[in-house]
Amino acid sequence: MVHIALFHSVLGLRPAELLAAERLRGSGHEVVTPDLFGGEIASTLDEGFRLVDRIGWATVLTRARQALKGMPEEAVLAGVSMGTGVVSDLLPERPATGAVLLLHAVVDLPASARPGLRVQVHAAEPDDFASPERMGALHGSARKSGAALEVFRYPGAGHFYIDRDLPDHDPAAAELTWQRVLDFLR
């Protein structure tokens, strides 16, 4: 069993993250899905970015830290789109993190990421949040830190392809993603 903190997208804590957590729990894992927006949700990315601006990134991170209290230091940090930024900001504070899972977006790994840290990425291709420039920066930061990076791209899928409630949903890509995630967590 693995302990996992799953941080939601800029749209807020929605059924996509809750269903993902249930799927992970169904495989025997302990999962927390903190509500970083205090119950608020957005229906578009622009609305979500305005929500983050209004709530404040510091508040988002404070809520994420609260969710991690009591979790083992080796818990897996997972982020969906905006949640990958939360993972990146919290990782330096949690050097014993067991693994990192980045869904729908990529971020640079902090310089303090430990050698051998397992990092798995799942992103549509093309996707502005996982652009060639961002992917290159991630590969560079993984090389510098010695992280074990594994990247999966899903050609033709939309940005939020795991979210069955959005037009981006791609059932085949979503299923393949969850199979690969479950293998990663074994």
Side-chain angles (χ1 to χ4, degrees):
M1 175 192 55
V2 175
H3 288 81
I4 304 162
L6 178 62
F7 301 108
H8 63 72
S9 78
V10 75
L11 298 178
L13 183 58
R14 300 174 55 257
E17 289 88 1
L18 298 173
L19 289 170
E22 283 307 311
R23 184 166 193 159
L24 295 169
R25 287 183 192 112
S27 292
H29 303 297
E30 290 285 328
V31 185
V32 297
T33 53
D35 185 347
L36 306 176
F37 291 173
E40 296 189 62
I41 60 169
S43 56
T44 67
L45 291 177
D46 288 340
E47 189 179 308
F49 289 123
R50 285 191 300 273
L51 189 55
V52 171
D53 288 343
R54 186 171 51 74
I55 292 169
W57 192 248
T59 298
V60 167
L61 290 179
T62 296
R63 290 172 176 168
R65 286 183 186 103
Q66 288 294 327
L68 291 171
K69 284 188 176 177
M71 289 191 80
E73 288 298 314
E74 66 276 4
V76 171
L77 300 181
V80 177
S81 197
M82 177 209 76
T84 64
V86 174
V87 169
S88 178
D89 282 358
L90 295 179
L91 190 56
E93 302 169 14
R94 297 184 63 88
T97 294
V100 168
L101 177 61
L102 306 175
L103 299 161
H104 304 301
V106 297
V107 291
D108 294 354
L109 294 176
S112 62
R114 75 169 191 286
L117 175 67
R118 294 173 54 237
V119 178
Q120 190 176 73
V121 174
H122 298 271
E125 187 170 34
D127 189 328
D128 290 342
F129 296 101
S131 66
E133 296 79 19
R134 288 182 183 205
M135 290 302 300
L138 173 61
H139 281 283
S141 63
R143 270 192 306 278
K144 284 181 186 173
S145 69
L149 177 63
E150 185 175 31
V151 175
F152 295 101
R153 300 303 299 262
Y154 301 86
H159 174 66
F160 283 123
Y161 67 85
I162 65 166
D163 190 332
R164 67 182 186 188
D165 294 331
L166 295 176
D168 287 348
H169 185 236
D170 183 318
E175 183 58 31
L176 184 54
T177 294
W178 292 119
Q179 288 173 13
R180 289 170 167 166
V181 166
L182 291 173
D183 287 344
F184 176 69
L185 295 172
R186 283 195 228 317

